[in-house]
Amino acid sequence: EIVLTQSPDFQSVTPKEKVTITCRASQSIGSSLHWYQQKPDQSPKLLIKYASQSFSGVPSRFSGSGSGTDFTLTINSLEAEDAATYYCHQSSSLPLTFGQGTKVEIK
Amino acid sequence: EVQLVESGGGLVKPGGSLRLSCAASGFTFSSYSMNWVRQAPGKGLEWVSSISSSSSYIYYADSVKGRFTISRDNAKNSLYLQMNSLRAEDTAVYYCASSIAAAGDRFDYWGQGTLVTVSS
């Protein structure tokens, strides 16, 4: 099983600040890495597919990068509505696995 | 607009059974792979099962293999999860999720979830 480790677990950020969340895979997964946003009491939403491709309708301040074992989700100029928990997810091999999540709080 | 509406959750005793449903609309259901992902209270996301558009490919997490069965009815635009031999650790919100990609890939759209509580 591929283990995904996100860092940090929690981040408190002021609006307009840049946020960087990393996801490290226990073995190489190519670009089979996706990012989701889950706001409190809501279902998750796909933000980035295959490491760097923005999903339909996602604001341009969200971007992804990386390949192999190290990946990054970047939120440029954080907005109050971005308060959420962010999860990475790998689809390189079964079982599909998720990172433990990174909670982003707005100061 | 893509809509996924789960139903069938509730309180069930350990060892009991439950059948979850997911009604899909707003897209060509028969062309999409479908998935179940769960989230225990206050915890992270856990993949449960995936099924390809024509039901040719079906995958399960080890934690539910042999107890849960995923199925779909393309004529009714519906996805199902039959859950047997339920355990306390199956307590979670169960989400259905669709994807234009192959089964066992990403999750494009998610429903609002249905809560399953396994307790005596």
Side-chain angles (χ1 to χ4, degrees):
Chain A
E1 173 175 320
I2 296 174
V3 176
L4 298 178
T5 304
Q6 293 181 228
S7 61
D9 290 331
F10 176 83
Q11 198 164 11
S12 185
V13 189
T14 55
K16 298 188 179 179
E17 197 174 336
K18 179 180 175 179
V19 173
T20 300
I21 300 169
T22 64
C23 177
R24 176 162 288 177
S26 58
Q27 62 190 74
S28 180
I29 58 173
S31 296
S32 299
L33 191 286
H34 320 288
W35 291 97
Y36 302 85
Q37 175 194 64
Q38 186 177 32
K39 296 182 180 180
D41 299 318
Q42 293 187 18
S43 55
K45 288 183 169 61
L46 178 63
L47 294 176
I48 303 291
K49 56 181 182 173
Y50 306 117
S52 62
Q53 298 175 24
S54 292
F55 189 61
S56 174
V58 174
S60 59
R61 64 183 180 274
F62 293 93
S63 64
S65 64
S67 66
T69 60
D70 293 302
F71 301 87
T72 300
L73 173 69
T74 300
I75 311 174
N76 281 302
S77 192
L78 186 82
E79 298 191 4
E81 66 182 31
D82 300 333
T85 299
Y86 294 84
Y87 294 93
C88 57
H89 153 232
Q90 68 81 21
S91 61
S92 175
S93 64
L94 297 176
L96 305 180
T97 52
F98 290 89
Q100 80 277 15
T102 295
K103 186 173 182 178
V104 174
E105 174 194 86
I106 309 298
K107 282 182 182 173
Chain B
E1 179 193 4
V2 172
Q3 279 209 317
L4 298 168
V5 180
E6 302 92 336
S7 60
L11 175 64
V12 61
K13 289 181 168 54
S17 297
L18 215 53
R19 189 195 196 206
L20 305 184
S21 298
C22 172
S25 62
F27 63 103
T28 306
F29 181 76
S30 59
S31 297
Y32 281 64
S33 63
M34 296 297 295
N35 311 271
W36 289 100
V37 178
R38 68 185 180 184
Q39 186 170 35
K43 302 297 184 182
L45 301 170
E46 180 188 15
W47 168 71
V48 174
S49 183
S50 299
I51 185 169
S52 63
S53 58
S54 61
S55 303
S56 298
Y57 299 95
I58 288 176
Y59 309 112
Y60 296 100
D62 285 346
S63 58
V64 306
K65 201 174 294 184
R67 301 187 299 122
F68 290 11
T69 302
I70 191 171
S71 63
R72 63 189 294 162
D73 185 336
N74 287 346
K76 294 183 177 180
N77 289 349
S78 293
L79 174 73
Y80 307 102
L81 186 68
Q82 177 66 43
M83 304 187 296
N84 299 330
S85 303
L86 282 161
R87 307 166 179 166
E89 54 264 35
D90 295 319
T91 295
V93 173
Y94 285 73
Y95 297 102
C96 71
S98 65
S99 177
I100 192 61
D105 202 296
R106 65 183 196 263
F107 311 121
D108 294 349
Y109 296 100
W110 300 59
Q112 86 290 346
T114 187
L115 176 63
V116 172
T117 303
V118 184
S119 173
S120 55

